[in-house]
Amino acid sequence: MIQDLMLMLVDGIGSLGYLGIFILMAMESSLVPIPSELVMSPAGYLAQQGLMNPWIAILSGTTGSLAGAYANYCVARYLGRPVLFKYGKYFFISPDKLHRIERFFLRHGEISTFIGRLLPVVRHLISIPAGLSGMQLLRFSLYTLLGSFIWCSVLTWIGFTIGRNQNLIMLYSKQAIIWASFGSCLLLIAYTFFRHRTVKTAKKE
């Protein structure tokens, strides 16, 4: 089944070109469950065959990811917040919890958005609390672009290096997820350490 899906996506991306990558990654970045490794890795394979420019493919995937993230962000900011404040109690989401989410993202929105783009499942959802908290749009865009660019580049490189072997693509994609998770943990630890140190120094002054 995965092999058939991979072949279908290779053919589809080959037909639709960079616009197809943009659309599929926009869907992946919203709430549509399309694995990004089944979009960017075939694009990398097509680049290896000389049928695509790898940098334009990465740019298409990155901007598509941003577009999908904008959709979640805007829905959460302009529709989700008033609805949750009014009806959230029926789903065990109290106004106090929503205020805590807002405070957290106002303080840690940048690192949360960046790391979230590198992690499976989280990348589909991270735009929602950012929108609920009213995170500044420029900051949200910059960190979404940075995280998306790194992830799209990794997957494109995997497809470019391995080619059409879907078993190896899935294997190395899983390893990339593990390394991304490990790197995110290290980054989070470093962020927590330096932030605590900065706050502590500020209090002394």
Side-chain angles (χ1 to χ4, degrees):
M1 181 177 178
I2 293 178
Q3 181 178 5
D4 294 337
L5 180 59
M6 181 71 72
L7 293 174
M8 183 182 71
L9 286 170
V10 168
D11 293 336
I13 291 171
S15 301
L16 295 173
Y18 303 113
L19 178 61
I21 296 174
F22 176 89
I23 292 172
L24 288 171
M25 288 303 291
M27 294 169 65
E28 186 272 345
S29 190
S30 58
L31 296 178
V32 182
I34 299 176
S36 52
E37 56 267 27
L38 296 184
V39 179
M40 296 311 303
S41 297
Y45 165 74
L46 291 172
Q48 190 266 339
Q49 295 294 303
L51 300 175
M52 277 190 167
N53 182 298
W55 293 109
I56 299 178
I58 291 170
L59 179 63
S60 301
T62 301
T63 53
S65 295
L66 180 63
Y70 274 156
N72 283 356
Y73 174 92
C74 291
V75 168
R77 181 165 186 175
Y78 300 110
L79 297 178
R81 192 174 184 275
V83 169
L84 284 175
F85 269 103
K86 187 172 183 178
Y87 300 107
K89 59 184 178 182
Y90 299 111
F91 301 95
F92 307 103
I93 304 175
S94 66
D96 182 59
K97 286 182 180 178
L98 288 173
H99 284 307
R100 285 204 298 268
I101 291 173
E102 290 179 335
R103 287 195 297 269
F104 178 84
F105 257 79
L106 288 174
R107 295 174 60 193
H108 310 291
E110 294 91 345
I111 190 70
S112 300
T113 300
F114 173 70
I115 290 178
R117 301 308 309 178
L118 302 176
L119 301 175
V121 181
V122 179
R123 72 171 60 94
H124 305 289
L125 304 173
I126 194 64
S127 306
I128 295 175
L132 287 174
S133 67
M135 181 180 176
Q136 205 272 334
L137 186 60
L138 179 60
R139 289 162 52 211
F140 172 77
S141 302
L142 289 175
Y143 286 93
T144 297
L145 279 173
L146 180 58
S148 298
F149 174 78
I150 292 172
W151 185 241
C152 287
S153 298
V154 169
L155 294 179
T156 302
W157 176 81
I158 289 174
F160 188 93
T161 304
I162 295 173
R164 201 164 182 162
N165 189 322
Q166 71 281 349
N167 292 324
L168 282 178
I169 284 176
M170 296 308 295
L171 174 63
Y172 280 95
S173 295
K174 289 178 181 177
Q175 291 183 359
I177 290 172
I178 293 172
W179 280 107
S181 301
F182 178 71
S184 296
C185 288
L186 292 179
L187 181 60
L188 188 58
I189 291 171
Y191 171 82
T192 303
F193 172 77
F194 284 109
R195 183 175 179 83
H196 177 74
R197 189 173 180 179
T198 301
V199 171
K200 192 174 180 180
T201 302
K203 285 183 179 179
K204 286 182 179 180
E205 295 176 353

